[in-house]
Amino acid sequence: MKRRSGWDRGLKLEASGRGLVGHAGAVLLHRAADRLGLVGQLRGALATNPWRLDRANVLVSLVVGIALGARNVRQAELLARHHTVLWGEGASDSTLWRMLGEIDDRARRRIGRARAAVRVRVWALLAEREGGFP
């Protein structure tokens, strides 16, 4: 499995009512993408530059924003910034647009292969689990 990004280190569950996180589903979706290797696979599929935000995490944050109901890039940016405490500085809407503009046909094929590899891993994990899909 690829190296995880580690944004979820130190997360814990409490019932105290302090430190609540809105949109807790975002945490689960992003963590699942990270733990199942999707972020790592996407990191290999997308262009990298040490002076820019991690494009894999930016793309996953955009997808999580859409899953939470964002209807445009600006709303996805606002949702990502809402979760800054969890996975760091979110991408601005201009960075999101720039990242999307960098995804050409070749990158789309690499993203497709990354998704397929993770899908195989998920099905293998489910096959190993007694009772299959929970």
Side-chain angles (χ1 to χ4, degrees):
M1 179 171 21
K2 299 274 184 181
R3 170 183 68 85
R4 293 191 351 233
S5 63
W7 64 269
D8 60 344
R9 281 187 187 72
L11 283 183
K12 60 184 176 181
L13 179 63
E14 292 181 5
S16 67
R18 293 186 316 268
L20 295 177
V21 176
H23 302 108
V27 175
L28 298 174
L29 288 172
H30 203 293
R31 187 168 187 189
D34 203 20
R35 302 263 330 237
L36 292 168
L38 181 60
V39 175
Q41 289 283 342
L42 288 173
R43 195 170 285 124
L46 298 169
T48 59
N49 184 322
W51 296 282
R52 295 191 290 188
L53 291 173
D54 178 4
R55 294 300 198 227
N57 273 315
V58 169
L59 182 58
V60 170
S61 294
L62 175 60
V63 171
V64 169
I66 291 168
L68 291 177
R71 292 201 241 168
N72 57 50
V73 172
R74 176 69 177 145
Q75 290 177 353
E77 174 202 5
L78 292 173
L79 283 168
R81 289 194 183 274
H82 178 73
H83 295 96
T84 300
V85 70
L86 296 173
W87 50 75
E89 179 185 349
S92 66
D93 59 346
S94 59
T95 298
L96 289 168
W97 280 115
R98 204 168 28 257
M99 181 215 45
L100 291 172
E102 292 169 0
I103 300 175
D104 57 9
D105 288 337
R106 216 168 132 208
R108 273 192 284 283
R109 285 191 298 274
R110 289 192 309 264
I111 290 168
R113 286 191 298 268
R115 291 177 54 228
V118 173
R119 191 177 310 114
V120 167
R121 175 170 162 65
V122 168
W123 281 111
L125 289 170
L126 288 172
E128 291 173 10
R129 184 180 186 278
E130 188 176 323
F133 192 79

